[in-house]
Amino acid sequence: MIQAFAASLHAKRLLARALVALGALAASAHANAPLDIRIALVIGNSAYSGSAALANPANDAKAMSEQLRTLGFQVLELRDGSRSQMTEAIDDVRKRLQGKGGVGMLYYAGHGVQIDWRNYMVPVDARPRSQTEVVAQAVDVDSVINAFKQAGNRVNILVLDACRNNPFEGTASVKGLAQLDAVPGTFLAYATAPGNIAEDGEGSNGLYTTYLLQELAKPTARIEDVFKRVRLQVRQKSRGNQIPWESTSLEDDFVFNDGRGVGTAVAAAPTPKPPPQERDEMFVREKAQWDRIKHSRDPDDFYAFLQAYPNGMVSEAAQSRLDQISKPQVTPTPLQGRHSTQRNPRVGDEIGYIYRDYLTGLETRRETLRVTAIKDGFVEINNGQQIVTLAGGTVRNDMGIEFDPPLQTLPADEFQIGKRWTSRSQQTMPKSLPTPTGGVGWIEQEMKVTAYEQITVLAGTMNAYRVEASLRTYRGLSGKITYWVNNGGLIVKYVRQAKISFPNGVTRDSSWTREVVRIHKPR
């Protein structure tokens, strides 16, 4: 009996070990495996009739299909597609993706037009002579977005190299494509800024697709890094006449190529932040390169920096500096009903603010900021008491704290919902504010544009972009901030909810609000 019991116990232990091993194997496979379904619809339309013919889209589609297959995508490729073929392909992709929670991608190269703020891909059999005929003969980009939504994809990617000059006279509202907000779970990319056109290219591929193919082939190709590097290279090559544009609402990271070879396109949970010490070391390295170039007048220095750090802690400041010394030749047309946030300060501008305690709502102080000088890309306020860049980076604030690189509270380029950026600066305290560290430390803000909405402040009611951010400093200050930016790139309301933690364990509230009371621009 004892022997039988021992044998039974041994068998149970073996079974338990096997179950544990199988569970661990399954968990490991789930953690490391790419998504099961990754399907790309690739369309390249070149064979338009007469003068509408294009040289490169069919070549672009062939090359893109080959590249995506090496990255683990199933590819449905259509070259020189008619309207019926394009709509059938879209429906085919939807069916293949249906209910799989996978990755859906559209790459389209060819003619594209916008009608009443909607974007259309033009089939090769289209012969539109009016806007009404465009709607009837072309394929709405929204049909792809809706197909992906119906399929229930986890990640959607739309790449439109469709900004060639419209050959169909009188059939478009304006040139180029219309700006769109990326719907949840979507990354949207255009070959050039909305409302502008791109060249077909001189080689076997279009300018935009040439650089996109190169970046996709690189290991550890995170989607945001890929498209930022493509944007920089196209801008540099075209001398600012073509600047790609992206909009994203992705919450997960997406990696085209994780460096392990064929079939490694993966979608994953957001990458965890590095530990504080590692993050500090990253900033030290990045700032060392910034210090080397920050006074340069050579745009190539900033292109090289941004290629190395496309989404770094100094990237927005570097982008701002690049825009200053090599002004973009194109700007995106805003989304319908929205304004541009291009800053245009002038000497004599005045802004009045009121500060209140966040908890009590009681007024604590008022201030008037007056632009007293603008030179070399810097705006001096109240005779240099404060200094900001033309792109909204703070060099010196009203407490005399200096920031290097400029603390980029505003994005270097246009606002768009979903845009994220991080800005970390070395801050130097004035002698009037002594600190245990000798007055030198750092401040970091992580920003995201979350809405475009109407807001009422003491200066009036206006439309503004809402930005939500987290705040950390070396002195133990942490919290969140929310602010609204109007059509002149002016922060009209600022809400800070923060606490300072001291080494002895004591915490102190540091929450306040600031609101615009008056805006005066001299004639």
Side-chain angles (χ1 to χ4, degrees), residues 234-250:
V234 171
R235 173 177 172 173
Q236 187 174 21
K237 182 69 173 179
S238 69
R239 298 187 178 183
N241 289 300
Q242 181 176 337
I243 302 179
W245 176 93
E246 302 88 39
S247 176
T248 180
S249 64
L250 294 182

Side-chain angles (χ1 to χ4, degrees), residues 35 37-41 73 90 93-94 97-107 141-160 181-189 223-224 227 246-256 266-267:
L35 292 177
I37 299 296
R38 301 174 301 282
I39 300 179
L41 171 59
F73 280 81
I90 293 167
V93 168
R94 178 190 60 78
L97 287 162
Q98 190 71 46
K100 304 298 194 304
V103 176
M105 179 172 177
L106 167 72
Y107 169 86
V141 171
D142 273 357
S143 67
V144 182
I145 295 173
N146 291 333
F148 285 168
K149 287 171 63 178
Q150 292 170 17
N153 297 342
R154 183 180 178 186
V155 174
N156 301 311
I157 304 165
L158 284 83
V159 181
L160 302 175
D181 283 333
V183 299
T186 300
F187 189 96
L188 177 62
I223 192 167
E224 290 86 357
F227 284 94
E246 302 88 39
S247 176
T248 180
S249 64
L250 294 182
E251 294 297 333
D252 292 344
D253 282 340
F254 181 81
V255 182
F256 282 104
V266 296

Side-chain angles (χ1 to χ4, degrees), residues 269-315:
T271 303
K273 292 180 184 178
Q277 182 177 350
E278 182 179 340
R279 194 163 179 81
D280 291 345
E281 292 170 354
M282 291 167 59
F283 175 65
V284 168
R285 291 193 296 270
E286 195 172 337
K287 187 176 182 303
Q289 296 304 311
W290 165 259
D291 289 340
R292 186 178 61 82
I293 67 167
K294 63 185 179 183
H295 298 302
S296 173
R297 302 291 303 178
D298 185 352
D300 288 345
D301 287 337
F302 295 92
Y303 280 118
F305 179 92
L306 289 164
Q307 284 290 331
Y309 304 102
N311 284 289
M313 290 177 270
V314 183
S315 298

Side-chain angles (χ1 to χ4, degrees), residues 198-259:
E199 297 300 323
D200 192 27
E202 298 177 354
S204 59
N205 295 113
L207 179 62
Y208 178 74
T209 295
T210 294
Y211 288 113
L212 180 54
L213 290 167
Q214 291 178 11
E215 291 301 321
L216 288 174
K218 295 179 180 179
T220 60
R222 293 180 64 252
I223 192 167
E224 290 86 357
D225 293 348
V226 164
F227 284 94
K228 280 197 173 182
R229 289 186 172 119
V230 171
R231 185 196 315 163
L232 287 164
Q233 292 174 90
V234 171
R235 173 177 172 173
Q236 187 174 21
K237 182 69 173 179
S238 69
R239 298 187 178 183
N241 289 300
Q242 181 176 337
I243 302 179
W245 176 93
E246 302 88 39
S247 176
T248 180
S249 64
L250 294 182
E251 294 297 333
D252 292 344
D253 282 340
F254 181 81
V255 182
F256 282 104
N257 181 355
D258 68 358

Side-chain angles (χ1 to χ4, degrees), residues 108-127:
Y108 173 75
H111 282 304
V113 297
Q114 61 165 300
I115 306 293
D116 296 330
W117 301 93
R118 297 180 75 92
N119 294 320
Y120 294 86
M121 301 176 287
V122 181
V124 295
D125 61 347
R127 304 288 190 275

Side-chain angles (χ1 to χ4, degrees), residues 410-422:
L410 304 183
D413 52 14
E414 282 287 319
F415 277 79
Q416 59 200 54
I417 294 174
K419 180 176 176 60
R420 300 173 184 263
W421 73 101
T422 299

